[in-house]
C-alpha cells in the first residue's frame, strides 16, 4: 500500500466533489431536508389526548391521580363519567380516546399491599396513538407512584422495597418530559446518516464506469485497498459535516437534551459512517450504473434502518427470528448509542459493548469493500 | 530473443457465443511499432485490453518483459501504459491535475514527471492550457493529453487504441513524431488504427478479422501480397454501377464506398477501358474513373479474399 497513491486518489476525488457544486449542495442539503421531513413527519408526539375518568372510589388519592392526568399536557380531561355503561358510548362517539377507570378499592389496596390497580380503556382504531396514550398513562401513573413511595419513605424514614416496573421507570428517569421526540430524533439522525452516507459513496465507482475513466484507472498499478481508502476519505469528511448538521439540528432545533460529550458522539458517528460509506462503496462496485447504485444503496440502508433498528418498531416486540436479524443492522447499535449519549450522557465505557459491535461491523465492511473491487473489465 | 518485449500466444477471448479474439500469436520488439488493423468489431480493443491486463483472456498466454501477465497481472502494470479507445481521463480535472494524478499512481519522482510533463506540453503546444479542464479541450488536445499522461512514467510498452481517431491531420503528424521519438528510446508500441496512412507508418501490421489474424507483415510486405490493382469509379448514385461492374471479367470484388465504388481488378491497364466502355454502354452516369492506391479497406478485403476467409 502506498500513501502517495492514496493521497492522489483522495485529492482527485475531493477536487471532483468540490467541482460539482450541485452534488455537493445535495450532499449537504439532503440531510437537512430529511431531518425536517422525518423530524416532523415521524414525530410521534401526541399531546392533549382527550380523557374521561370513571372514579369509583372518589378518595383523596384517586383525586390526586386524576389531578396528575389533568395537569399533564399529554391528556386533557374531558369529563367524569357516572358509571360503567357510559364508557363505550364516549369512546364510540369520539368524546375521548382513553378512559381511566379507578376501582373502588384503589387507595385501600395501594396502602395495604403497596400496589394499586387501574384500568385504562383505549380507542384502538388508531393503534399508534393508543399505544402512545397507554405509555403516557403508565408514565403518569408511575410518576404518581414514585412520589407516593417517596412520601412513604419520608414518613417512615426507610427505603422503598420495590420500585415501579423498570421499563416505565427508565422512561421517566431519562426523559422527564416524556417526550417521544427525544427518542425519535436520535433515531432520525441515524436514519439520515445511513441514507446520506451510503448515497455519497454509491456513485463514486459507478461514475468512473459511466464516464469511461475506469478502464484507464485499472490499467495503472493502483491497488484496490488504496482505491477504497482514497475514495472513502473525502466522503468521510463530507459525512462528518452531514453528521454535524444533523446533530446540531437535533439539539438546537428539535431541542433534544444533549448530556454526553461531543467527542463520544463523533467517535461513534465516525464508526457508523465507516459502515454506511462502505455499504455504498460495495454497492457502487457491484452495480456499474449510477442510478442503479444509488437506488440499491437507498434500499439497503433505509429499509433495515427504519424497520429493524428499533427506530420505529420496538425490537423486543418482534418475533425471535427477526430479533436475531436486528443484530445484523448496524443502525441498531448506533441508535442505541445515540440515545444513550444524548439522553443519559453515557461515555465510552458505558457503551463499550455497542461500540465494539459497531467497530467490528465497520471493520468487516471496510475489508469487504476493499476486496469487492476487481481490477478487471469482465 | 532478448529483444522481444511483448509476446502473445494463442490469445483468445469469447463473449458468450462470440469469439472476439481468436488464437492470436504475435511478438513486439523493443523500439517497434506494431499496428493492429481491422474493421469495427475485429477484436482490436479486446486484444489491447488483454495486453493491458484489464481483461482476462479465456485462452492463451501473454508475456511482457518476460513476466507471465496472466499469473501476475499487477506486476506488469508498472511497465505498461495503456491509452483506451474512449477518452479515459477526468474531464473535471485540469490538464495539470490529470498529469499529476497519473504521475502519482505510477510513483514517478516529482522532478522527473515535472520535467517530462513540461517538455511534452511544450512540444505539443499545450503549455497555455495547463489550467484548463480536460473536458474543455479539443478532441486532438484530449488525445495528446492522454498520451502525455501515458508517458509521464517511462513505460517499456505503450498500448494505444485508436489514439488519433477524430484528430486533425496536423495533430496526427505531431502525434506520430512523438511515437517515433519513443521508438528511438526503445519503447515497444502496439497501436490500433483505422487510418491507412497511419497503418503504413507502423513497422509491422496485423490484419484482424473477426478476432483472427489474417496477415501479419510489414506494410510493404502486405501490399506486395495484394495482387492486381484498385479502380475507383465515382458517381452520385453508385448502386447501378456496382451492379454492372461486378459482372465484368477480371473484376474480383466491388466495394461500395461513400461516393462511388472501388473495383479490385487483376490488371488495371487492361480493365480500365473495359469498365469505361461497359458503363457508357449501360448509360449509367459516372463522374470519374481512375486507378487509385488501395485503401486499408481495399487491401483488407483483397487479402481476406486471397485467404479465402470471406463469406
Ligand atoms: N464486454 C463485451 N461484452 C460482449 N461483447 C463484447 C464486449 N467487448 C467487445 N465485444 C464484442 O467483441 C467483438 C470485438 O470487439 P472489439 O471492441 O475488440 O473490436 P474493435 O476491433 O476494437 O472494434 P472498433 O473498431 O469498433 O473499436 C465485437 O463484436 C464486440 O461487439
Ligand atoms: Mg475498438
Amino acid at each position: 500500500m502506498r500513501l502517495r497513491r492514496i493521497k492522489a486518489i483522495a485529492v482527485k476525488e475531493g477536487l471532483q466533489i468540490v467541482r460539482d457544486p450541485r452534488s455537493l449542495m445535495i450532499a449537504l442539503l439532503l440531510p437537512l431536508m430529511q431531518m425536517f421531513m422525518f423530524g416532523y413527519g415521524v414525530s410521534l408526539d401526541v399531546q392533549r389526548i382527550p380523557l374521561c375518568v370513571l372514579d369509583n372510589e372518589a378518595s383523596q388519592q384517586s383525586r390526586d391521580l386524576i389531578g396528575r392526568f389533568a395537569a399533564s399536557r399529554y391528556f386533557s380531561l374531558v369529563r367524569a363519567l357516572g358509571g360503567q355503561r357510559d364508557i363505550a358510548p364516549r369512546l364510540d362517539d369520539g368524546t375521548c380516546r382513553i378512559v381511566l377507570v379507578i376501582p373502588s378499592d384503589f387507595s385501600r389496596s395501594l396502602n395495604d399491599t403497596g400496589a394499586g390497580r387501574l384500568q385504562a380503556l383505549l380507542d384502538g382504531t388508531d393503534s399508534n396513538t393508543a399505544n402512545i396514550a397507554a405509555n403516557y398513562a403508565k408514565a403518569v401513573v408511575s410518576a404518581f407512584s414514585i412520589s407516593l413511595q417517596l412520601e412513604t419513605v419520608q414518613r417512615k424514614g426507610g427505603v422503598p422495597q420495590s420500585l415501579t416496573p423498570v421499563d416505565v421507570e427508565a422512561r421517566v428517569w431519562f426523559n422527564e418530559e416524556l417526550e417521544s421526540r427525544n427518542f425519535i430524533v436520535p433515531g432520525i439522525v441515524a436514519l439520515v446518516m445511513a441514507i446520506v452516507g451510503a448515497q455519497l459513496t454509491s456513485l463514486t465507482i459507478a461514475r468512473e464506469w459511466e464516464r469511461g475513466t475506469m478502464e484507464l484507472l485499472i490499467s495503472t498499478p493502483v491497488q484496490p485497498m488504496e482505491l477504497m481508502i482514497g475514495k472513502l476519505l473525502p466522503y468521510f469528511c463530507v459525512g462528518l459535516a452531514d453528521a454535524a448538521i444533523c446533530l446540531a439540528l437535533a439539539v438546537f432545533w428539535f431541542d433534544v437534551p444533549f448530556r454526553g460529550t461531543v467527542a463520544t458522539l463523533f467517535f461513534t458517528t465516525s464508526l457508523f459512517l465507516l459502515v454506511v460509506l462502505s455499504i455504498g462503496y460495495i454497492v457502487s462496485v457491484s452495480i456499474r450504473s449510477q442510478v442503479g447504485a444509488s437506488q440499491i444503496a437507498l434500499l439497503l440502508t433505509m429499509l433495515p434502518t427504519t424497520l429493524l433498528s428499533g427506530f420505529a418498531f420496538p425490537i423486543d416486540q418482534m418475533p425471535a427470528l427477526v430479533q436475531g436479524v436486528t443484530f445484523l443492522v448496524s443502525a441498531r447499535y448506533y441508535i442505541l448509542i445515540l440515545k444513550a449519549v444524548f439522553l443519559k450522557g453515557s461515555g465510552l465505557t458505558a457503551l463499550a459493548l455497542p461500540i465494539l459491535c459497531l467497530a467490528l461491523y465497520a471493520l468487516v465492511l471496510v475489508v469487504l469493500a476493499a476486496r469487492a473491487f476487481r481490477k478487471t473489465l469482465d | 530473443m532478448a529483444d522481444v518485449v511483448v509476446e502473445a500466444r494463442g490469445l483468445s477471448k469469447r463473449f458468450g457465443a462470440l469469439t472476439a479474439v481468436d488464437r492470436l500469436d504475435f511478438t513486439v520488439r523493443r523500439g517497434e511499432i506494431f499496428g493492429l488493423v481491422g474493421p469495427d468489431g475485429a477484436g482490436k480493443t479486446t486484444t489491447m485490453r488483454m495486453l493491458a491486463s484489464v481483461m482476462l483472456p479465456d485462452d492463451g498466454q501473454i508475456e511482457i518483459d518476460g513476466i507471465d501477465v496472466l499469473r501476475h497481472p499487477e506486476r506488469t502494470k508498472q511497465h505498461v501504459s495503456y491509452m483506451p479507445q474512449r477518452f479515459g481521463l477526468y474531464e473535471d480535472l485540469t490538464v495539470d491535475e490529470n498529469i499529476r494524478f497519473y504521475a502519482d499512481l505510477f510513483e514517478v519522482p516529482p522532478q522527473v514527471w515535472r520535467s517530462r510533463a513540461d517538455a511534452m506540453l511544450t512540444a505539443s503546444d499545450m503549455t497555455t492550457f495547463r489550467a484548463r479542464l480536460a473536458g474543455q479541450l479539443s478532441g486532438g488536445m484530449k488525445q495528446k493529453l492522454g498520451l502525455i499522461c501515458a508517458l509521464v512514467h517511462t513505460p517499456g510498452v505503450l498500448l494505444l487504441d485508436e489514439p488519433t481517431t477524430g484528430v486533425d491531420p496536423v495533430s496526427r503528424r505531431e502525434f506520430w513524431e512523438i511515437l517515433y521519438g519513443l521508438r528511438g528510446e526503445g519503447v515497444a508500441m502496439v497501436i490500433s488504427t483505422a487510418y491507412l496512412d497511419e497503418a503504413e507508418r507502423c513497422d509491422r501490421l496485423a490484419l484482424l478479422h473477426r478476432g483472427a489474424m489474417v496477415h501479419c507483415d510489414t506494410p510493404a510486405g502486405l501490399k506486395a501480397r495484394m495482387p492486381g490493382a484498385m479502380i475507383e469509379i465515382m458517381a452520385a448514385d453508385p448502386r447501378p454501377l456496382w451492379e454492372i461492374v461486378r459482372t465484368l471479367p477480371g473484376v474480383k470484388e466491388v466495394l461500395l464506398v461513400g461516393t462511388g465504388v472501388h473495383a479490385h481488378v487483376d490488371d488495371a491497364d487492361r480493365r480500365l477501358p473495359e469498365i469505361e466502355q461497359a458503363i457508357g454502354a449501360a448509360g449509367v452516369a459516372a463522374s470519374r474513373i481512375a486507378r487509385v492506391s488501395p485503401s486499408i479497406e481495399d487491401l483488407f478485403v483483397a487479402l481476406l479474399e486471397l485467404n479465402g476467409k470471406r463469406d
Side-chain angles (χ1 to χ4, degrees):
Chain A
M1 224 170 26
R2 288 293 168 34
L3 215 58
R4 183 167 170 198
R5 286 202 285 252
I6 294 175
K7 194 181 144 214
I9 290 165
V11 168
K12 174 224 123 195
E13 204 73 22
L15 283 172
Q16 289 186 305
I17 296 174
V18 177
R19 299 245 165 98
D20 187 2
R22 224 174 36 136
S23 68
L24 188 63
M25 283 288 272
I26 291 175
L28 295 175
L29 282 181
L30 193 69
L32 203 76
M33 276 161 39
Q34 286 180 341
M35 279 302 287
F36 283 118
M37 210 168 76
F38 294 130
Y40 287 111
V42 187
S43 173
L44 301 177
D45 251 1
V46 183
Q47 298 199 355
R48 311 232 151 271
I49 304 163
L51 165 84
C52 288
V53 290
L54 174 56
D55 187 356
N56 287 322
E57 192 187 55
S59 67
Q60 182 59 40
Q61 271 170 335
S62 72
R63 274 193 293 271
D64 277 358
L65 179 62
I66 293 168
R68 277 184 179 265
F69 272 91
S72 135
R73 60 185 163 109
Y74 303 101
F75 297 100
S76 80
L77 183 57
V78 182
R79 74 170 66 152
L81 302 179
Q84 196 75 24
R85 65 188 183 299
D86 288 341
I87 294 175
R90 293 294 81 81
L91 281 174
D92 284 347
D93 66 15
T95 312
C96 60
R97 305 290 283 276
I98 178 168
V99 177
L100 189 70
V101 181
I102 303 174
S104 52
D105 62 347
F106 176 64
S107 39
R108 186 157 29 93
S109 65
L110 199 61
N111 296 333
D112 291 357
T113 65
R117 287 188 67 82
L118 281 169
Q119 195 183 16
L121 298 160
L122 292 131
D123 175 3
T125 43
D126 178 357
S127 61
N128 211 6
T129 309
N131 250 327
I132 297 162
N135 276 325
Y136 283 157
K138 271 195 228 160
V140 173
V141 170
S142 61
F144 172 73
S145 61
I146 286 174
S147 64
L148 214 63
Q149 280 173 347
L150 285 177
E151 265 174 47
T152 320
V153 171
Q154 278 164 354
R155 245 185 294 135
K156 293 185 185 164
V159 178
Q161 282 152 351
S162 68
L163 283 168
T164 36
V166 176
D167 176 44
V168 181
E169 180 208 16
R171 280 168 187 270
V172 179
W173 192 264
F174 297 116
N175 185 13
E176 304 96 315
E177 296 117 63
L178 293 174
E179 274 213 83
S180 67
R181 180 182 277 172
N182 290 358
F183 285 98
I184 293 292
V185 171
I188 292 175
V189 172
L191 178 62
V192 172
M193 288 311 300
I195 294 176
V196 173
Q199 284 299 307
L200 285 176
T201 41
S202 71
L203 303 180
T204 176
I205 295 284
R207 196 193 300 126
E208 304 246 11
W209 286 115
E210 270 185 15
R211 295 191 185 167
T213 51
M214 188 52 96
E215 190 169 350
L216 185 52
L217 187 60
I218 60 177
S219 76
T220 71
V222 71
Q223 291 168 19
M225 185 65 121
E226 296 162 346
L227 189 68
M228 185 206 62
I229 299 176
K231 277 191 170 270
L232 290 197
L233 266 177
Y235 290 107
F236 187 76
C237 298
V238 178
L240 278 183
D242 284 336
I245 292 175
C246 291
L247 296 167
L249 277 181
V251 175
F252 297 110
W253 186 271
F254 291 103
D255 288 327
V256 178
F258 181 69
R259 303 192 171 110
T261 67
V262 175
T264 316
L265 198 60
F266 274 89
F267 174 68
T268 51
T269 299
S270 301
L271 289 179
F272 187 62
L273 257 180
L274 276 183
V275 172
V276 291
L277 291 177
S278 304
I279 291 177
Y281 185 85
I282 292 170
V283 170
S284 198
V285 167
S286 335
I287 295 168
R288 291 183 182 183
S289 92
Q290 293 192 67
V291 177
S294 148
Q295 279 170 355
I296 297 289
L298 186 67
L299 279 183
L300 276 183
T301 46
M302 197 161 93
L303 283 186
T305 309
T306 41
L307 301 179
L308 296 172
S309 66
F311 162 60
F313 307 106
I315 290 174
D316 51 17
Q317 284 170 29
M318 294 174 183
L321 184 72
V322 182
Q323 281 194 29
V325 175
T326 64
F327 286 103
L328 297 175
V329 179
S330 58
R332 180 197 164 128
Y333 307 107
Y334 185 52
I335 291 179
L336 188 88
I337 293 168
L338 276 185
K339 282 184 185 171
V341 174
F342 264 91
L343 304 175
K344 292 196 248 185
S346 306
L348 293 179
T349 29
L351 294 170
L353 191 63
I355 287 179
L356 203 69
C357 290
L358 203 54
L360 203 68
Y361 210 111
L363 187 72
V364 169
L365 275 184
V366 166
V367 170
L368 283 181
R371 307 188 65 157
F373 185 71
R374 295 260 159 274
K375 281 181 77 180
T376 152
L377 292 172
D378 33 19
Chain B
M1 270 182 294
D3 249 9
V4 172
V5 183
V6 181
E7 180 168 12
R9 281 189 303 271
L11 197 59
S12 301
K13 180 74 185 180
R14 285 177 289 275
F15 297 110
L18 176 90
T19 303
V21 173
D22 194 6
R23 286 163 292 167
L24 294 192
D25 295 292
F26 60 88
T27 55
V28 187
R29 290 174 209 189
R30 264 176 59 83
E32 184 176 41
I33 303 181
F34 186 81
L36 292 179
V37 204
D40 292 349
K44 306 181 291 289
T45 297
T46 309
T47 306
M48 290 280 185
R49 285 175 167 166
M50 291 190 285
L51 293 178
S53 67
V54 297
M55 196 176 251
L56 275 176
D58 292 317
D59 274 313
Q61 274 149 12
I62 305 171
E63 267 183 30
I64 289 179
D65 281 338
I67 299 170
D68 184 337
V69 173
L70 300 192
R71 211 172 303 153
H72 309 287
E74 291 306 308
R75 234 186 259 175
T76 50
K77 285 185 176 169
Q78 273 304 347
H79 318 280
V80 178
S81 254
Y82 171 46
M83 205 179 140
Q85 185 168 1
R86 184 178 167 191
F87 184 67
L89 301 177
Y90 297 94
E91 304 215 331
D92 44 1
L93 258 54
T94 64
V95 168
D96 265 348
E97 285 161 355
N98 268 299
I99 295 174
R100 172 164 196 167
F101 181 64
Y102 288 98
D104 281 340
L105 289 191
F106 283 97
E107 298 180 281
V108 188
Q111 62 276 21
V112 174
W113 73 258
R114 270 183 223 282
S115 64
R116 277 185 84 91
D118 284 344
M120 287 190 287
L121 284 171
T122 311
S124 50
D125 276 339
M126 281 179 62
T127 35
T128 49
F129 297 105
R130 297 182 81 135
R132 185 175 289 201
L133 295 182
Q136 290 166 2
L137 296 175
S138 70
M141 278 201 271
K142 275 186 187 173
Q143 294 304 92
K144 280 192 261 181
L145 176 59
L147 187 62
I148 293 172
C149 287
L151 294 176
V152 22
H153 71 290
T154 331
V157 179
L158 185 56
L159 308 169
L160 307 165
D161 195 359
E162 300 200 22
T164 56
T165 302
V167 175
D168 69 74
V170 178
S171 300
R172 257 162 65 192
R173 203 167 329 120
E174 287 170 5
F175 209 96
W176 276 90
E177 289 307 320
I178 301 175
L179 297 193
Y180 287 142
L182 292 168
R183 178 163 68 180
E185 291 170 26
V187 177
M189 282 168 270
V190 181
I191 179 169
S192 77
T193 180
Y195 298 112
L196 172 67
D197 56 332
E198 283 192 353
E200 269 182 280
R201 289 166 181 263
C202 296
D203 297 316
R204 272 190 310 140
L205 277 177
L207 287 191
L208 299 187
H209 179 65
R210 297 197 178 158
M213 193 183 287
V214 185
H215 287 281
C216 184
D217 205 341
T218 59
L222 284 179
K223 283 214 170 138
R225 291 191 199 186
M226 178 175 160
M230 199 55 68
I231 291 175
E232 184 181 62
I233 312 150
M234 311 257 268
D237 181 12
R239 196 79 214 172
L241 276 182
W242 183 75
E243 294 287 352
I244 296 166
V245 177
R246 65 196 288 245
T247 59
L248 297 177
V251 176
K252 300 179 178 176
E253 177 85 25
V254 185
L255 271 181
L256 277 170
V257 293
T259 51
V261 297
H262 276 192
H264 180 208
V265 296
D266 51 2
D267 180 353
D269 294 335
R270 198 172 134 207
R271 302 299 175 192
L272 197 82
E274 287 179 15
I275 291 176
E276 259 176 335
Q277 206 175 12
I279 292 173
V284 175
S287 55
R288 188 183 105 107
I289 304 177
R291 177 178 182 164
V292 291
S293 63
S295 70
I296 185 73
E297 199 179 1
D298 298 330
L299 186 67
F300 191 72
V301 169
L303 289 175
L304 284 179
E305 172 104 319
L306 192 70
N307 243 40
K309 275 206 179 177
R310 203 174 152 87
D311 40 27

